[in-house]
Amino acid sequence: MKELIFVRHAKSDWGTEFLKDIDRHLNERGYRDAYFLSEWFEKNKKKPDLILSSSATRALSTAFIFARSLEQNKDKIKVEEKIYEASLETLLSVLKKMDASYNSVMLFGHNPSLTTICNYLCDDLFFDDIPTCGIVSYNFDIKKWSELDEKQGKLNYYQFPKEFKNKG
């Protein structure tokens, strides 16, 4: 059994016009959501075997906030440049090449590719748009990541920042 946990980077700052897209950092709400959801995850879910992140600043910042909350060793964090602006095919390729020894992988990335791959891997629930700092987890009845394929996933859980804000 394998688990994939997709996390869209937290809300980024659009206030600096000269920055390249890949270099945009988190805004205040992004930091707040990342810290809150990383603490929620640490209290309620099992630590992943690997954290895999896009090389974009906003994704890396979100991933490192989660890694600190989970007290994840730095050797369990991998930066993958191909995740930034990835197509569905590229994301699948990255995932299928993961070492079979990892049973649970948390991937930090971007839309539209995260929403696309989530809808591709599972038909339990259709997502129109995974929000910033949204978390979606699927279980797969496979032994190797190379076996990953369309509609194999079973929705494990999802958690979005606004669900907590509406309860307050």
Side-chain angles (χ1 to χ4, degrees):
M1 184 70 72
K2 302 287 186 195
E3 179 187 19
L4 268 176
I5 307 154
F6 293 101
V7 183
R8 183 175 171 198
H9 65 79
K11 189 78 173 158
S12 60
D13 189 349
W14 287 84
T16 310
E17 64 183 75
F18 65 85
L19 278 181
K20 293 181 181 179
D21 180 69
I22 197 166
D23 294 327
R24 278 192 293 119
H25 53 87
L26 300 180
N27 68 14
E28 185 177 325
R29 186 181 110 197
Y31 281 109
R32 187 175 53 248
D33 287 349
Y35 280 109
F36 183 84
L37 278 164
S38 67
E39 290 169 13
W40 170 86
F41 191 92
E42 186 273 327
K43 290 175 186 167
N44 295 288
K45 303 298 175 187
K46 185 179 169 222
K47 181 173 18 178
D49 299 327
L50 177 69
I51 290 178
L52 187 61
S53 179
S54 158
S55 57
T57 300
R58 58 195 180 275
L60 277 171
S61 295
T62 308
F64 282 128
I65 289 169
F66 272 74
R68 278 192 297 273
S69 288
L70 299 171
E71 297 178 357
Q72 193 72 290
N73 296 331
K74 64 180 178 181
D75 61 328
K76 298 289 185 179
I77 302 168
K78 181 180 176 191
V79 177
E80 176 54 69
E81 292 180 12
K82 293 179 183 176
I83 296 172
Y84 178 68
E85 295 187 336
S87 65
L88 172 63
E89 294 75 20
T90 300
L91 270 183
L92 281 172
S93 174
V94 166
L95 292 170
K96 287 182 175 195
K97 290 177 182 171
M98 287 189 302
D99 192 295
S101 66
Y102 300 123
N103 290 315
S104 177
V105 175
M106 182 177 261
L107 185 146
F108 290 81
H110 312 268
N111 265 354
S113 57
L114 281 190
T115 298
T116 301
I117 198 165
C118 284
N119 290 327
Y120 175 85
L121 291 173
C122 179
D123 61 5
D124 290 345
L125 180 63
F126 180 83
F127 293 101
D128 287 325
D129 180 51
I130 295 172
T132 53
C133 214
I135 303 170
V136 180
S137 170
Y138 297 112
N139 287 326
F140 298 89
D141 189 14
I142 57 176
K143 290 186 177 18
K144 299 178 195 171
W145 290 107
S146 59
E147 300 170 8
L148 195 63
D149 206 358
E150 185 175 11
K151 306 302 179 199
Q152 277 182 322
K154 294 295 172 204
L155 183 64
N156 191 13
Y157 61 88
Y158 66 95
Q159 196 64 57
F160 299 158
K162 74 175 186 177
E163 293 170 28
F164 293 103
K165 293 171 186 168
N166 291 339
K167 293 178 183 175

